[in-house]
Amino acid sequence: MREDGPKREITATVVKVLVHQRDDRGMSLEPFASRCVREGEVHELVTTDHDDTTPGARIDRVGFLGFAEIGCAGVIDRGDEVWIGGVRVGTVLGFDGCHFPNHYNILIHVPQPRTGPDLGLKPELGVRFTQPD
């Protein structure tokens, strides 16, 4: 049974680029497969090669991309494709709430953790969260 129907694309804009990586971050995967986001919220984009989606899974190997301001309200789901500056970065693995309610860490599954400079990120680049086909 299919649970999700079509949804709008979520757009955002890079507001700050981050440059560091960690192998011992100790993030914890939230038990939610989706999160609602509001226009104007700022959330952190974090890459990881972890692929365990078990609630509470420990996420240690990470690369920090930066912070992005949400341009339109909607729902970000596990499995959504993440595009920055027209380039597909990876897919949403899930969320870490260690800084919530200030912001979520949106965890992006990639083959190898990458940082903002690794991807050539700059403030004002467009970010999109799209539902896979």
Side-chain angles (χ1 to χ4, degrees), residues 8-20:
R8 81 183 326 184
E9 177 178 286
I10 303 300
T11 58
T13 304
V14 173
V15 297
K16 180 179 177 67
V17 177
L18 296 175
V19 302
H20 58 294

Side-chain angles (χ1 to χ4, degrees), residues 58-132:
R58 184 178 168 101
I59 308 295
D60 279 321
R61 293 179 310 279
V62 296
F64 296 88
L65 295 179
F67 288 90
E69 178 184 7
I70 303 298
C72 64
V75 179
I76 298 175
D77 291 304
R78 180 178 298 136
D80 280 355
E81 295 181 341
V82 181
W83 298 77
I84 303 177
V87 175
R88 186 180 181 279
V89 174
T91 58
V92 173
L93 176 71
F95 309 88
D96 168 75
C98 69
H99 299 296
F100 191 78
N102 186 14
H103 68 274
Y104 275 112
N105 293 317
I106 300 173
L107 301 169
I108 303 166
H109 181 260
V110 293
Q112 176 180 346
R114 307 292 302 271
T115 66
D118 290 339
L119 299 182
L121 299 191
K122 298 193 179 329
E124 302 303 328
L125 269 177
V127 179
R128 296 182 302 127
F129 296 88
T130 63
Q131 189 172 31

Side-chain angles (χ1 to χ4, degrees), residues 20-27 46-50 58-64 112-115:
H20 58 294
Q21 286 186 296
R22 300 259 320 252
D23 290 325
D24 61 349
R25 180 56 182 85
M27 290 183 184
V46 180
T47 61
T48 184
D49 60 351
H50 289 275
R58 184 178 168 101
I59 308 295
D60 279 321
R61 293 179 310 279
V62 296
F64 296 88
Q112 176 180 346
R114 307 292 302 271
T115 66

